[in-house]
């Protein structure tokens, strides 16, 4: 074997040009092989997605974008519709059906021709198959295409995440969201295409939408264009103090009021019949006591199907203007010798709590560690040594007697272990606002992670309750549910004077830069029965430890009860 190789080497040494020619021919042959393989696989797969139209037939709304889709976008649409719709008579509804108006109330054609799954789907109600026109969409909110992995749950979840009332699926791969249905019914047999990511479940048809009405969670915001609907509220005692700017607008509409308050740089646009008022949330107008929306249903002079509130009951929208009353932050003016920990198990909302505390107090929070990504996002106390005394509190995930006793007092954040473990797993494999890949969830990493981290969730809380000198317990779920009251108690524990107007400002800026979106939520339960049995026992242990200290036990949504 050595002799032929030696002869070949001598041959190329005598004629270098032949060597380079050989290399070029080799690379060309390899390229041709790869090209042939690609063409063969395209032919075997049908050349393109069977539901993706050809380039000549791509609709102006973006259908046919194929895998480039997978992105939410706000399509061009006619006039935006805001607020609660003015109730119409039966005759009026019939007229609307004839000319392509609002068909939201048509809840017939229940469940014929659907797959065998439960019609309620847990969080949404199937209301029927509807005609969809590419020039005049039935649902005119955000849209989302996925020509490989679309499922009913995924569409519902993404529309609910954005606060829409309806989710519709079409062509087995397209998802549309909206606040009202603006198209007539069709036969349920027309919605006959399987979902691309879930065979056996139907996702509309050709120009036909399978539409669901969503059961939105309380925190879901109802978005209308650039504004967020906040609700109906009683007129404050002193309107001019509560809402200092205002004007009477001819042919009043929600859009006009929102634009006026945006130009004046106010975060609230308030409709009071024929007048528009602007301002910020204050103790005089806190937006904490909502009224029934029917009390605000008074037609806008400039828009037939919009409500503009009344002189006694105001409709309120949040504009895109940032409320800057709580955005200033600084280090403590004098160094503190009293070290306060903000302690939590990883994934329990520590970074979010730091964001809220900084806005509410105006002082930076510190950290037992250093995270450059957090520093770059505005947590300037991240770079200070944790014993510097210049920060209002110090983030830590440490547990154990020695570490805990270095702090004089602590706020202990506790979160549902099922949610905390998944959040920390996503952070570990995807970053602060990223997501772990499916290969990590379905591989050996997830079971190993739960085995090691679940006991730590319990021991972390038990150690802080046992060795902490002065512990203020905050449950993540209760902080989300009643942010104003819970955050106020945290600020009082930390020591600074509480400003209610500043806390109200925080409510409008609560998400910060580290909120993980719902675009890639898992569509299956990653916990096995064995995992759940083990975690449930840990929950019982923590619940008992809290109650022995005469504290409220874990919230009702923890398992088990």
């Amino acid at each position: 074997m050595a002799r032929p190789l030696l002869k070949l080497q001598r041959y190329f040494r005598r004629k270098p040009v032949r060597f380079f020619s050989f290399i070029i021919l080799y690379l060309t042959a390899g390229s041709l092989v790869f090209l042939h393989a690609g063409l063969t696989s395209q032919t075997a797969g049908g050349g393109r997605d069977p539901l993706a139209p050809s380039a000549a037939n791509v609709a102006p709304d973006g259908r046919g974008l194929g895998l480039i889709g997978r992105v939410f976008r706000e399509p061009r649409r006619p006039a935006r519709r805001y607020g609660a719709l003015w109730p119409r008579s039966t005759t009026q509804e019939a007229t609307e059906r004839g000319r392509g108006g609002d068909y939201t109330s048509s809840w017939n054609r229940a469940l014929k021709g659907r797959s065998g799954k439960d019609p309620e789907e847990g969080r949404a109600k199937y209301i029927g198959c509807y005609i969809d026109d590419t020039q005049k969409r039935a649902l005119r909110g955000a849209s989302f295409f996925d020509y490989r992995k679309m499922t009913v749950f995924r569409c519902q979840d993404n529309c609910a995440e954005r606060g829409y009332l309806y989710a519709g699926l079409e062509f087995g791969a397209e998802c549309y969201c909206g606040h009202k249905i603006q198209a007539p019914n069709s036969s349920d047999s027309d919605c006959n295409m399987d979902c691309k990511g879930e065979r056996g479940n139907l996702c509309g048809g050709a120009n036909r939408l399978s539409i669901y009405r969503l059961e939105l969670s309380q925190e879901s915001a109802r978005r209308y264009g650039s504004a967020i609907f906040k609700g109906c509220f009683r007129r404050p005692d002193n309107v001019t103090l509560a809402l200092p700017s205002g004007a009477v607008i001819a042919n009043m509409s929600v859009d006009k009021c929102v634009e006026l308050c945006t130009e004046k740089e106010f975060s609230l646009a308030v409709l009071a019949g024929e007048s528009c008022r602007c301002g910020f949330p204050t103790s005089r107008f806190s937006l904490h006591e909502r009224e029934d929306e029917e009390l605000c249903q008074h037609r806008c002079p400039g828009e037939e199907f919009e409500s503009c509130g009344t002189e006694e009951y105001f409709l309120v929208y949040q504009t895109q203007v940032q409320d800057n009353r709580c955005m200033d932050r600084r280090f403590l003016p004098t160094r503190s010798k009293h070290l306060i920990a903000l302690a939590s198990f990883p994934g329990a909302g520590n970074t979010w709590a730091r964001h809220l505390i900084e806005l509410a107090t105006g002082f930076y929070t510190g950290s037992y560690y250093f995270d450059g990504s957090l520093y770059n996002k505005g947590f300037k106390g991240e770079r200070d040594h944790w014993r510097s005394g210049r920060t209002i509190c110090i983030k830590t995930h440490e547990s154990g007697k020695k570490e805990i006793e270095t702090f004089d007092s602590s706020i202990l954040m506790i979160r549902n272990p099922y949610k905390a473990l998944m959040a920390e797993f996503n952070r570990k494999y995807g970053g602060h606002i990223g997501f772990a890949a499916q290969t990590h969830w379905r591989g050996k990493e997830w079971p190993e992670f739960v085995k090691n981290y679940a006991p730590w969730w319990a021991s972390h809380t038990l150690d802080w309750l046992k060795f902490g000198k002065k512990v203020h317990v905050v449950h993540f779920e209760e902080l989300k549910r009643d942010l104003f009251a819970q955050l106020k108690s945290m600020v009082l524990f930390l020591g600074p004077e509480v400003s209610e107007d500043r806390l109200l400002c925080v409510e409008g800026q609560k998400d910060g830069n580290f909120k993980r979106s719902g675009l890639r939520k898992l569509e299956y339960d990653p916990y096995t029965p064995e995992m759940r049995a083990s975690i449930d026992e840990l929950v019982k242990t923590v619940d008992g430890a809290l109650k022995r200290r005469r504290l409220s036990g874990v919230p009702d949504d923890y398992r088990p009860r």
Side-chain angles (χ1 to χ4, degrees), residues 205 237 312 382 403:
D237 292 334
E312 292 300 321
E382 191 76 16
E403 290 78 6

Side-chain angles (χ1 to χ4, degrees), residues 467-486:
F467 302 119
K469 297 172 185 176
K470 184 181 178 184
V471 181
H472 177 73
V473 175
V474 176
H475 293 283
F476 176 88
E477 291 76 15
E478 292 178 355
L479 183 60
K480 282 185 66 178
R481 191 178 302 119
D482 189 4
L483 187 141
F484 185 89
Q486 292 292 323

Side-chain angles (χ1 to χ4, degrees), residues 281-480:
T282 65
S283 55
R284 294 185 178 90
F285 195 57
S286 64
L287 305 186
H288 286 166
E289 297 179 4
R290 296 181 66 162
E291 302 287 348
D292 191 324
E293 287 180 28
E294 290 185 2
L295 297 172
C296 289
Q297 284 190 342
H298 176 76
R299 290 178 180 173
C300 292
E303 281 289 346
E304 183 182 0
F305 301 118
E306 290 180 359
S307 296
C308 275
T310 69
E311 292 183 359
E312 292 300 321
Y313 293 94
F314 295 172
L315 274 179
V316 181
Y317 295 83
Q318 182 176 320
T319 70
Q320 291 296 299
V321 175
Q322 180 172 273
D323 188 348
N324 290 319
R325 295 174 299 165
C326 57
M327 300 307 292
D328 60 300
R329 285 167 288 175
R330 57 196 173 98
F331 288 103
L332 293 174
T334 57
R335 294 180 184 268
S336 173
K337 296 181 180 179
H338 188 80
L339 297 179
I340 305 176
L342 178 62
S344 74
F345 174 78
N350 199 304
T351 302
W352 181 54
R354 289 179 69 186
H355 164 75
L356 297 175
I357 289 170
E358 290 194 1
L359 295 188
T361 64
F363 296 117
Y364 290 121
T365 59
S367 177
Y368 196 81
Y369 322 97
F370 172 73
D371 188 326
S373 65
L374 292 179
Y375 177 81
N376 292 333
K377 285 290 185 179
F379 290 94
K380 300 305 180 185
E382 191 76 16
R383 198 164 61 179
D384 260 34
H385 189 273
W386 64 278
R387 286 184 177 272
S388 70
R390 299 204 306 158
T391 55
I392 191 73
C393 62
I394 299 105
K395 163 190 173 177
T396 179
H397 299 310
E398 300 300 310
S399 55
K401 186 175 185 293
K402 181 180 177 181
E403 290 78 6
I404 292 172
E405 289 182 344
T406 59
F407 294 96
D408 301 292
S409 58
S410 62
I411 294 176
L412 176 60
M413 291 278 296
I414 306 175
R415 187 181 185 183
N416 185 325
Y418 291 96
K419 300 290 181 65
L421 288 168
M422 292 177 70
E424 175 58 12
F425 190 73
N426 276 320
R427 187 207 62 79
K428 185 174 181 180
Y429 289 99
H432 279 287
I433 55 174
F435 294 85
Q438 290 291 330
T439 53
H440 294 134
W441 288 104
R442 296 185 182 277
K444 63 180 182 181
E445 293 92 342
W446 171 244
E448 189 69 22
F449 178 86
V450 173
K451 179 182 176 182
N452 294 329
Y453 275 67
W456 181 21
W457 173 85
S459 65
H460 181 277
T461 299
L462 297 175
D463 282 354
W464 279 93
L465 291 175
K466 182 177 180 181
F467 302 119
K469 297 172 185 176
K470 184 181 178 184
V471 181
H472 177 73
V473 175
V474 176
H475 293 283
F476 176 88
E477 291 76 15
E478 292 178 355
L479 183 60
K480 282 185 66 178

